[in-house]
């Protein structure tokens, strides 16, 4: 019914559930394989490629049209690893039970990667994690701890079984888990008054009052999600591990933040090789309650929808240097607003010292900056304000080559694709003039580009 309704309204992107964009680059091999939806299935496949020294340059996923309990994956491989490919395919088929098809594709004109159009469609990829979850790498502090690994599987099962609209299951945390949280909470809270931005320090007492933020208590995602919805419309949903950049950013377009529920291993309370509930609740959540920051985060998500892979990488890098490791100005001082800083006792002090390099936030430069993931950042970017960062992001998003603009409708919780004049005119009665002007100008730019500059100025005059 929903797909038919979209089709009746002239929506060209809903007719195909999975619109592919291929590069047809020489030396690239493409595969499609299907897996049963179960814990750790994708991780086994990715480990197989890694062990054979094969580099994946692209991966996409979708629910299988043939089997409801399976997912299909499209991947690109570097062609220089052809000799090992036969062994890989054989291993996928015989050892893992995957159905594998090797293929070559020709690029289709004006096609874009599939992206969710409704908030319910986040269910389609929320379980397609790239690493961790219930499985841990050998260098993880909890790798040799069977109790911790079993506990991680419990958290993974909660995330795998969750669907949009359901209350997030409550977790009874162990005394050891609460002790780990308490250590992190106590150390970080002592730094926030002098190191965190105003917005973080303004919201944090409210979280203590309404969401159970205490040294001896790990807050519940459901309580926090309800609180955020009353503040900015953001909400949380549980996730088992790391999502791809495309999938994670798509969630932000709907003001949905995929949050872990598990906590780091007790042996190293001040270290984690992956996002955990300390990172999510102490670093991310306070800023999502701020309207300006919430809007900035959603703008990154909206810019990612239907964007080519190279721009997804750039947007993910922008996210890294802002939402994760961003600094901002407060008078004559610098303060931290990035979650990676606000959840790290060591880096929160380091980032405001004289050691790292500090640069102004210029997205064209920031988007291509290389960065380490296992050590403190050598360079940080400073935003004048969240409003300034948001305006810069909107200008940057206009450089993304896609034949449409997008807008999130909070009433229907759907993404509206703006690709013709009729849709823009229908918007005029439902949004304010400033937002309409932004949507309209973005559409004009993409429309003029697609028409090779041969714009119908009579039509433009009538629209104005």
């Amino acid at each position: 019914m929903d797909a038919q309704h979209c089709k009746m309204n002239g929506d060209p992107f809903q007719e195909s559930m999975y619109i592919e964009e291929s590069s047809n680059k020489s030396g690239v091999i493409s595969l499609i394989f299907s897996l049963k939806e179960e814990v750790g299935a994708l991780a086994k496949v990715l480990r197989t490629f890694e062990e054979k020294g094969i580099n994946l340059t692209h991966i996409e996923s979708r629910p299988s049209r043939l089997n409801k309990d399976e997912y299909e994956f499209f991947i690109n491989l570097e062609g220089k690893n052809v000799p090992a490919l036969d062994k890989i395919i054989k291993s996928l088929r015989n050892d893992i039970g995957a159905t594998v098809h090797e293929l070559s594709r020709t690029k289709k004109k004006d096609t874009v990667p599939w992206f969710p159009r409704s908030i319910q469609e986040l269910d389609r990829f929320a379980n397609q994690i790239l690493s961790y979850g219930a499985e841990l790498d050998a260098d993880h502090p909890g790798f040799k701890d069977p109790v911790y690994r079993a506990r991680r599987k419990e958290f993974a099962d909660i995330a795998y079984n969750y669907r949009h609209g359901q209350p997030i299951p409550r977790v009874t945390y162990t005394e050891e888990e609460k002790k780990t949280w308490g250590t992190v909470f106590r150390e970080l809270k002592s730094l926030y008054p002098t190191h965190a931005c105003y917005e973080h320090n303004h919201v944090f007492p409210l979280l203590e009052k309404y969401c159970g933020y205490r040294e001896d208590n790990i807050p519940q995602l459901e309580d926090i999600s309800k609180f955020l919805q009353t503040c900015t419309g953001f909400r949380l949903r549980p996730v088992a591990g790391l999502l791809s950049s495309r999938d994670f950013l798509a969630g932000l377009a709907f003001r949905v933040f995929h949050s872990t529920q598990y906590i780091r291993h007790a042996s190293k309370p001040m270290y984690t090789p992956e996002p955990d509930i300390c990172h999510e609740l102490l670093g991310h959540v306070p800023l999502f309650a701020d309207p300006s920051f919430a809007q900035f985060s959603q703008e990154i998500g909206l810019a990612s929808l239907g964007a080519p892979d190279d721009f997804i990488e750039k947007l993910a890098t922008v996210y890294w240097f802002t939402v994760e490791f961003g600094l901002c100005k407060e008078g004559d001082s610098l303060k931290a607003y990035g979650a990676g800083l606000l959840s790290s006792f060591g880096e929160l002090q380091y980032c405001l010292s004289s050691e790292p390099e500090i640069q102004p936030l210029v997205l064209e430069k920031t988007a291509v900056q290389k960065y380490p993931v296992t050590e403190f950042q050598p360079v940080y970017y400073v935003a004048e304000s969240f409003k300034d960062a948001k305006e810069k992001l909107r200008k940057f998003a206009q450089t993304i080559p896609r034949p449409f603009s997008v807008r999130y409708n909070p009433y229907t919780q759907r993404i509206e694709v703006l690709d013709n004049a009729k849709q823009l005119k229908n918007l005029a009665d439902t949004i304010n003039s400033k937002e309409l002007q932004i949507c309209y100008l973005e559409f004009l730019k993409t429309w003029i580009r697609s028409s090779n500059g041969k714009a119908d100025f009579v039509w433009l005059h009538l629209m104005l």
Side-chain angles (χ1 to χ4, degrees):
M1 179 177 178
D2 187 60
Q4 182 64 26
H5 172 77
C6 294
K7 203 168 181 179
M8 288 172 62
N9 283 274
D11 186 341
F13 293 94
Q14 190 66 27
E15 294 181 15
S16 174
M17 183 174 64
Y18 188 73
I19 304 175
E20 301 172 342
E21 178 188 57
S22 66
S23 56
N24 201 28
K25 296 178 181 178
S26 58
V28 174
I29 296 173
S30 299
L31 295 178
I32 286 182
F33 61 91
S34 59
L35 296 172
K36 289 186 177 180
E37 185 179 4
E38 58 186 29
V39 176
L42 180 57
K44 292 179 182 178
V45 173
L46 297 179
R47 193 175 300 116
T48 300
F49 286 108
E50 182 179 2
E51 291 172 352
K52 297 296 184 181
I54 292 182
N55 294 324
L56 276 66
T57 60
H58 181 79
I59 182 170
E60 297 177 35
S61 65
R62 70 175 182 187
S64 173
R65 291 169 174 163
L66 300 177
N67 299 301
K68 293 183 178 180
D69 61 343
E70 291 186 356
Y71 268 77
E72 296 174 351
F73 299 86
F74 170 80
I75 59 175
N76 282 340
L77 315 171
E78 288 185 357
K80 62 183 180 182
N81 298 303
V82 172
L85 185 59
D86 290 340
K87 294 182 180 180
I88 288 287
I89 294 178
K90 183 177 180 180
S91 175
L92 292 179
R93 289 171 174 166
N94 299 337
D95 301 336
I96 300 178
T99 302
V100 186
H101 301 282
E102 182 178 356
L103 56 110
S104 60
R105 302 188 302 171
T106 302
K107 185 173 179 65
K108 299 179 182 179
K109 183 180 179 181
D110 296 332
T111 58
V112 297
W114 177 88
F115 59 86
R117 296 293 303 280
S118 69
I119 196 170
Q120 291 82 2
E121 289 182 327
L122 297 182
D123 290 341
R124 293 188 180 186
F125 58 73
N127 292 336
Q128 303 309 306
I129 60 174
L130 300 181
S131 61
Y132 294 112
E135 299 184 5
L136 305 178
D137 285 348
D139 59 350
H140 192 285
F143 179 73
K144 296 182 179 180
D145 185 342
V147 176
Y148 182 78
R149 291 170 66 94
R151 183 65 166 159
R152 286 292 294 268
K153 186 179 185 304
E154 293 179 26
F155 287 109
D157 289 342
I158 291 175
Y160 280 120
N161 293 319
Y162 178 81
R163 296 296 180 268
H164 172 74
Q166 298 175 347
I168 302 174
R170 295 181 177 272
V171 174
T172 301
Y173 289 97
T174 66
E175 290 303 315
E176 183 179 62
E177 289 169 337
K178 287 189 284 187
K179 182 179 179 180
T180 300
W181 162 271
T183 299
V184 178
F185 183 91
R186 180 176 61 254
E187 296 296 332
L188 287 172
K189 187 179 177 181
S190 69
L191 291 178
Y192 288 156
T194 53
H195 290 65
C197 65
Y198 165 81
E199 290 80 3
H200 187 280
N201 285 325
H202 176 70
V203 172
F204 202 84
L206 300 177
L207 293 168
E208 292 179 305
K209 182 177 181 179
Y210 297 109
C211 298
Y213 273 53
R214 299 194 311 272
E215 184 177 330
D216 63 348
N217 178 67
I218 302 178
Q220 298 291 330
L221 294 192
E222 178 66 12
D223 296 336
I224 299 168
S225 188
K226 289 181 178 178
F227 173 79
L228 290 178
Q229 288 177 56
T230 64
C231 295
T232 62
F234 250 92
R235 68 184 69 210
L236 305 180
R237 70 170 292 158
V239 68
L242 295 175
L243 293 171
S244 70
S245 296
R246 184 182 292 278
D247 290 346
F248 178 80
L249 294 177
L252 296 180
F254 294 86
R255 298 205 172 202
V256 172
F257 180 74
H258 290 81
S259 174
T260 56
Q261 280 183 296
Y262 55 78
I263 196 166
R264 62 196 65 183
H265 194 260
S267 64
K268 293 185 177 182
M270 302 309 290
Y271 167 78
T272 176
E274 58 184 327
D276 73 334
I277 199 165
C278 296
H279 172 77
E280 319 285 37
L281 302 195
L282 298 175
H284 282 292
V285 164
L287 272 297
F288 283 133
D290 177 75
S292 292
F293 183 83
Q295 183 64 41
F296 171 72
S297 301
Q298 185 179 29
E299 292 284 346
I300 297 180
L302 290 170
S304 75
L305 300 180
D309 290 337
D310 56 336
F311 275 86
I312 290 294
E313 182 178 355
K314 291 179 179 179
L315 288 169
T317 303
V318 168
Y319 178 91
W320 179 270
F321 283 111
T322 55
V323 179
E324 290 290 353
F325 292 96
L327 300 178
C328 62
K329 289 185 178 181
E330 281 189 12
D332 296 329
S333 303
L334 295 182
K335 301 292 183 179
Y337 72 88
L341 302 175
L342 294 168
S343 60
S344 170
F345 183 79
E347 192 161 6
L348 184 53
Q349 298 175 81
Y350 165 82
C351 71
L352 298 179
S353 70
S354 58
E355 294 185 52
E357 179 183 353
I358 305 298
Q359 295 284 343
L361 183 64
V362 179
L363 295 190
E364 291 75 13
K365 179 180 179 181
T366 306
V368 295
Q369 174 70 46
K370 301 298 181 182
Y371 56 86
V373 295
T374 58
E375 58 190 54
F376 292 171
Q377 301 302 304
V379 59
Y380 298 97
Y381 290 91
V382 180
E384 295 290 331
S385 65
F386 295 146
K387 180 180 179 181
D388 177 67
K390 179 177 63 178
E391 293 304 318
K392 288 179 177 179
L393 180 66
R394 282 178 171 171
K395 292 180 180 178
F396 181 75
Q398 291 172 9
T399 67
I400 299 176
R402 55 183 182 182
F404 56 88
S405 295
V406 295
R407 172 185 178 267
Y408 178 64
N409 188 325
Y411 303 108
T412 62
Q413 297 182 318
R414 291 185 60 87
I415 297 297
E416 297 177 350
V417 173
L418 309 177
D419 64 343
N420 63 58
K422 181 179 179 181
Q423 290 172 329
L424 287 172
K425 291 177 72 175
N426 290 340
L427 276 179
D429 294 331
T430 62
I431 61 179
N432 62 56
S433 59
K434 183 176 180 180
E435 185 178 0
L436 177 60
Q437 182 182 28
I438 292 172
C439 293
Y440 180 60
L441 291 176
E442 288 181 356
F443 168 71
L444 287 184
K445 290 180 180 180
T446 56
W447 182 76
I448 292 173
R449 282 200 300 266
S450 65
S451 64
N452 296 319
K454 299 177 181 179
D456 185 342
F457 288 100
V458 174
W459 178 85
L460 296 181
H461 175 73
L462 292 175
M463 281 295 295
L464 290 170

